[in-house]
Each structure stands twice: as C-alpha cells, then as structure tokens.
Amino acid sequence: DGEMLDWLLAHESHSELAARVPAEDHARFVQTVRDNIVMPVDAAELAKALYSDAGFHSDAALNVLREAGDGFYKAALDELDGAEDFKTFAKATGQAAGVKGKGLFMPLRAAITGLTHGPEMARVWDLLGKDVIGERLASAQRHAAKQD
C-alpha cells in the first residue's frame, strides 16, 4: 500500500488525490481503491467520487437514483442507524425496500459513491463512515424525488 501511495502521489494526477483525500486517510483510501486502479488517473477519479462534497454523480448513477426512487432511499436511511457494517445495512435495506441483487446494490453504490462501478462497498463503508453515508443517501433521496 505504501508503494502504491508513493506511485500515486508521484504522478501528475496526484493533485486531485492530494486536494481531496485528507493525509490521514491516504492509507485507508489506497486500501479501499487499490483493486480498481490501473493508472494513477483512476485513483484521482475515485478520490473525486468518494471525497466530493458536492454529491458527485455520473450520468449513469443519476439514472440509477431515479429508477430506484426516493422510497428506496427512505428505507435505506431508516435502516442506517441500526447497521453495524455494510453487509447488515444492505440486508436490512433490501428487506425494507423489497429488493435484492442488482436492484439493491446498484442504487446503494450510486448513492454512496456517485458511480455505478468501483471499490468493494464494505471498504467504502469503512472509509467514509455512517455520517457521510447518511448525507449521501439523503442527497440521493432528494435527487430521486426530483426525478419522479
């Protein structure tokens, strides 16, 4: 992880990573995204998605938010407080919303990461924490409601 971080910070795209990812999160960020990085620019894009205060969403992710609907995100927010980890959160959300598989995981990914692909969600959960995830789910609910 240390060598990967050095490689990422030595690349010209490091400014996005350095500007977005707090220094104390560098090691956890690399652990979270390492399987999704081919080139340093990939890390910069993931840093933008995971650390954007503006609720960055790709066009594909916005479509997923709209398709899931605000009721899905209300159910997710209702289950967030009692969840200990991503697995229990996803299971409880799926039961509450009456969805499973791609219909469960894609809307969660789109809301939490702003993307339709990326790092393992359990790692993202650990990196971002429940407060940030709650903010992103609430934002997703607002986006989904606007699209209905």
Side-chain angles (χ1 to χ4, degrees):
D1 290 343
E3 288 177 19
M4 179 174 259
L5 179 60
D6 291 343
W7 175 65
L8 294 173
L9 292 174
H11 191 269
E12 63 190 39
S13 66
H14 85 281
S15 60
E16 184 76 33
L17 182 110
R20 299 237 182 228
V21 181
E24 64 270 11
D25 281 359
H26 281 177
R28 289 185 319 139
F29 174 77
V30 169
Q31 290 170 349
T32 300
V33 303
R34 70 174 302 124
D35 296 337
N36 300 90
I37 297 172
V38 176
M39 298 299 294
V41 71
D42 300 330
E45 286 299 312
L46 288 168
K48 180 180 176 185
L50 295 174
Y51 286 91
S52 175
D53 291 334
F56 170 83
H57 292 288
S58 69
D59 290 341
L62 286 171
N63 288 333
V64 171
L65 298 180
R66 184 187 73 243
E67 290 171 13
D70 63 325
F72 174 87
Y73 295 107
K74 181 185 181 326
L77 284 164
D78 289 346
E79 298 302 325
L80 185 62
D81 284 339
E84 296 176 21
D85 56 28
F86 182 76
K87 183 178 178 178
T88 59
F89 168 68
K91 183 177 180 179
T93 299
Q95 290 173 344
V99 295
K100 56 185 172 180
K102 188 176 180 179
L104 169 64
F105 292 104
M106 188 63 72
L108 290 176
R109 176 178 295 285
I112 295 168
T113 69
L115 303 168
T116 56
H117 62 281
E120 181 183 328
M121 291 303 295
R123 291 180 184 176
V124 171
W125 174 278
D126 292 340
L127 178 68
L128 297 181
K130 283 171 62 169
D131 290 342
V132 171
I133 289 170
E135 291 169 9
R136 291 181 177 204
L137 290 170
S139 175
Q141 183 181 21
R142 288 189 300 274
H143 280 319
K146 287 180 191 176
Q147 300 292 333
D148 288 344

